[in-house]
Amino acid sequence: MAGFDDEKRRFSSFQLFAALAGFAASYYLSRVFYHVYFGPLSHLPGPRLRAITGLPAMWTTISGKDHEVIPALHRKYGPIVQLGPNELSFAGGAKAWADIHGPKKGVLPHKDPVFYPSSINGANSLMTAGDAEHSRQRKIMSHAFSERTLKEQEPLLRSWAEKMKTKLAERIATGQEIDIVKFYNCTTFDIMADFLFLQGLDLLQDGEYSPWIKNLFNSLKTATIVLGFRRYSSWINDFIEYYVKNNEQARKAEYEHFRNAAERIDSRWNRAIDRPDPWATFLGSLTREEQHVTASALMVAGTETTATVLSGLTYHLLQNPLAMEKLKEEIRSNLRNFDEVTLENLARLKYTNACLQEGLRLYPPVPSGSRAYQFIPGGTVVGVHHMATYRSPDHFKNPDKFAPERWLGDPEYADDHRDALEPFQTGQRNCLGQNLAWHEMRLLLATVMLHFDISPGPDSKSWIDQKVYILWEKKPMFVCLEEVKV
Ligand code: HEM
């Protein structure tokens, strides 16, 4: 009899559990059903599965395929695509840029805190600062990136370009292989370190990455995978925020990057130099903690980006020998020797500038763009997708073709929407370093083209087959260089 009672109790507990589970499942399904068919995003195009679950968006991100999958979705569904239950991607050209990022007086796109997690020391850089703090920091920092300040730093920039040229020539003499991507990276990291810390990182000296920079590149894939999971679920995000935020072991790579930048900032103030140091003014107006996070941010934002454009452009020039010849001809006929390679002279070279625009279009350094969030409805993450915009036939004729002429008034490309290209983003949160980036890109490109004939090395055609972990996972690009007497 007792056995029968036990059995009955067990049966009713099972029934209760099943009823609760059934209730939870139907509640969840009805919410999903409501969201997909009647919710505020229900009228927007995109695959139904993506409206139901964030899994496909997570998978696209962690498999490094954002740059292929999202443009393909835009080609199928149009300029607005729902990527996940609360995520929209835009590829609508100039209007999308203006609607999402501005300029709109007084309205800042609020940044997605998942994409821009809090820093190690709790201070904010421009990238993560809230609205009020952002305008204070931006005002302080904008002097450092003005044309006047950059002109003051011209000798420093030119000295690094000259060093790159010397080191490339030395490498040719040794007969060793030349990975041009590495040389561009070594140069841009040395330059940024020299601005920030008053001393380069000695990367160009041997044409090799230091452990700090190797660690930085290696950590991008893990960071993207963590980001994919954080965006998939607010529970996972909360868990990571709670358990990982102050766990130095779990954030080892981040801590190492931060410490490397912070230590060098501290020692910059004890270093005596005999050259102008315009960055002292802006860095000195930030708190020491802000200086640390700002240096950490600039050692990524102001380095790899510029080297990426140069690498992508070199790839496209190697695949388009006629364009390469035209570029060399413009540079060599206008600049007779390195003394004439000045920021002012370089800004006048039309074909050089058109090649760089085309390089930025075909291979934008942050291919997926950043995620701001706005209020359509509250909390929906929105962003303009660079690759989807720039490879869209709605905006550019022959979108996959390298055609610098499209920036030079060629009637064949008269209907291109040139104002859709905004690699530096628009609005109050656009790239503060774009003037510096332009000078640096022109200077390093012209230095290579003036002094060397460059031709493809082994496997260079397939170099472009890459994944994206926030930034391009750039492979080595081996090239054959021959020095030209100028
Ligand atoms: C071709 C090279 C570059 C490209 C394509 C580029 C692109 C961008 C983009 C798209 C943003 C917006 C990011 C976001 O909101 O998440 C940005 C922000 C920023 N970039 Fe660049 N960047 C380049 C080079 C540089 C350089 C050389 C520096 C400085 C040395 C720099 C400093 C910054 C800073 C400080 C911000 C944050 C601005 C703010 O939030 O107010 N960038 N950049």
Side-chain angles (χ1 to χ4, degrees):
M1 206 57 194
F4 181 71
D5 280 350
D6 279 354
E7 191 65 22
K8 225 167 110 187
R9 217 174 295 124
R10 249 201 315 274
F11 188 63
S12 53
S13 317
F14 174 75
Q15 274 180 322
L16 182 66
F17 174 77
L20 282 175
F23 178 74
S26 21
Y27 173 72
Y28 175 74
L29 287 176
S30 58
R31 271 194 54 176
V32 169
F33 182 80
Y34 171 80
H35 190 77
V36 173
Y37 292 101
F38 303 102
L41 305 184
S42 58
H43 61 292
L44 294 170
R48 278 301 91 181
L49 185 64
R50 284 183 177 257
I52 295 170
T53 165
L55 278 174
M58 180 178 86
W59 177 244
T60 310
T61 300
I62 68 177
S63 58
K65 296 245 169 99
D66 262 3
H67 64 303
E68 289 168 7
V69 173
I70 298 176
L73 288 174
H74 276 288
R75 276 194 295 277
K76 182 163 180 195
Y77 291 98
I80 305 176
V81 175
Q82 183 167 12
L83 294 183
N86 71 339
E87 188 173 349
L88 299 175
S89 173
F90 289 75
K95 181 157 173 16
W97 282 115
D99 287 348
I100 291 175
H101 291 286
K104 268 176 290 181
K105 274 218 162 75
V107 184
L108 287 168
H110 304 286
K111 287 196 161 183
D112 175 12
V114 175
F115 196 84
Y116 303 92
S118 49
S119 70
I120 277 173
N121 67 358
N124 280 307
S125 72
L126 265 191
M127 304 283 184
T128 55
D131 297 351
E133 204 180 336
H134 178 265
S135 36
R136 174 183 68 84
Q137 284 199 22
R138 181 120 181 168
K139 211 181 268 166
I140 292 172
M141 285 176 69
S142 49
H143 297 294
F145 294 94
S146 69
E147 279 300 333
R148 222 177 98 199
T149 309
L150 290 171
K151 187 82 196 132
E152 259 182 74
Q153 287 165 306
E154 179 167 8
L156 189 67
L157 283 169
R158 289 184 75 254
S159 72
W160 282 109
E162 199 167 16
K163 182 157 186 179
M164 179 184 74
K165 183 234 137 190
T166 308
K167 290 293 164 187
L168 280 170
E170 281 175 20
R171 184 59 73 94
I172 296 174
T174 65
Q176 283 174 278
E177 57 187 6
I178 298 175
D179 169 10
I180 195 77
V181 171
K182 199 176 257 185
F183 270 86
Y184 288 142
N185 267 322
C186 289
T187 313
T188 57
F189 274 92
D190 270 343
I191 292 176
M192 191 47 49
D194 204 0
F195 277 29
L196 279 164
F197 315 129
L198 305 177
Q199 197 175 47
L201 299 181
D202 265 349
L203 304 183
L204 255 185
Q205 193 57 31
D206 301 319
E208 285 302 331
Y209 301 144
S210 64
W212 174 15
I213 304 310
K214 266 191 211 149
N215 166 67
L216 179 63
F217 285 137
N218 291 340
S219 66
L220 287 169
K221 192 168 177 176
T222 316
T224 309
I225 292 171
V226 173
L227 176 68
F229 279 99
R230 292 177 68 137
R231 280 163 79 177
Y232 170 61
S233 146
S234 56
W235 291 4
I236 297 179
N237 187 40
D238 292 347
F239 174 83
I240 291 176
E241 271 289 305
Y242 189 78
Y243 286 103
V244 177
K245 199 168 168 189
N246 299 314
N247 183 333
E248 186 167 341
Q249 202 48 34
R251 296 175 78 182
K252 201 162 167 244
E254 242 181 292
Y255 267 87
E256 202 178 316
H257 175 64
F258 175 82
R259 238 190 318 262
N260 267 294
E263 281 168 11
R264 285 173 173 80
I265 280 287
D266 291 342
S267 39
R268 97 168 319 265
W269 298 114
N270 304 322
R271 188 161 284 133
I273 47 152
D274 56 358
R275 61 165 222 231
D277 177 18
W279 279 32
T281 319
F282 103 75
L283 282 170
S285 309
L286 300 173
T287 65
R288 188 59 70 94
E289 287 73 23
E290 286 169 348
Q291 292 173 27
H292 291 164
V293 287
T294 298
S296 305
L298 288 182
M299 282 308 287
V300 182
T303 50
E304 200 276 347
T305 42
T306 312
T308 291
V309 181
L310 290 168
S311 305
L313 175 55
T314 303
Y315 167 82
H316 284 290
L317 288 166
L318 288 171
Q319 305 308 314
N320 293 276
L322 283 180
M324 173 84 89
E325 280 312 309
K326 253 176 123 167
L327 177 65
K328 278 196 304 200
E329 149 58 26
E330 180 181 73
I331 289 171
R332 293 178 190 176
S333 60
N334 282 279
L335 312 168
R336 279 167 303 172
N337 52 47
F338 191 68
D339 290 343
E340 295 187 2
V341 181
T342 63
L343 302 189
E344 205 180 334
N345 286 342
L346 289 167
R348 282 198 282 263
L349 302 181
K350 292 206 167 72
Y351 197 72
T352 306
N353 284 295
C355 284
L356 282 164
Q357 294 270 55
E358 195 63 346
L360 281 158
R361 185 182 71 82
L362 287 174
Y363 194 69
V366 195
S368 301
S370 58
R371 293 281 180 263
Y373 66 85
Q374 294 197 326
F375 305 108
I376 50 161
T380 300
V381 176
V382 298
V384 179
H385 199 277
H386 290 275
M387 283 294 274
T389 306
Y390 306 157
R391 297 297 184 103
S392 161
D394 292 346
H395 301 308
F396 296 100
K397 185 174 180 187
N398 306 328
D400 296 331
K401 186 174 170 190
F402 179 76
E405 309 73 59
R406 69 174 86 240
W407 304 100
L408 295 167
D410 184 328
E412 193 182 346
Y413 296 101
D415 294 332
D416 273 9
H417 298 166
R418 279 172 292 279
D419 56 3
L421 179 69
E422 293 288 1
F424 297 100
Q425 204 168 284
T426 60
Q428 286 105 317
R429 298 265 184 167
N430 71 353
C431 177
L432 183 59
Q434 54 188 294
N435 292 344
L436 172 58
W438 270 107
H439 286 312
E440 223 176 302
M441 291 188 300
R442 286 192 284 246
L443 179 60
L444 301 183
L445 178 67
T447 303
V448 171
M449 294 297 151
L450 182 64
H451 294 99
F452 302 99
D453 281 333
I454 174 166
S455 52
D459 297 332
S460 66
K461 200 168 171 59
S462 60
W463 179 82
I464 203 76
D465 304 331
Q466 297 166 24
K467 294 195 170 176
V468 167
Y469 295 105
I470 304 177
L471 308 172
W472 294 99
E473 193 180 43
K474 297 198 296 293
K475 295 181 272 194
M477 191 197 303
F478 296 109
V479 295
C480 306
L481 284 191
E482 218 173 294
E483 198 170 357
V484 179
K485 289 280 158 263
V486 286

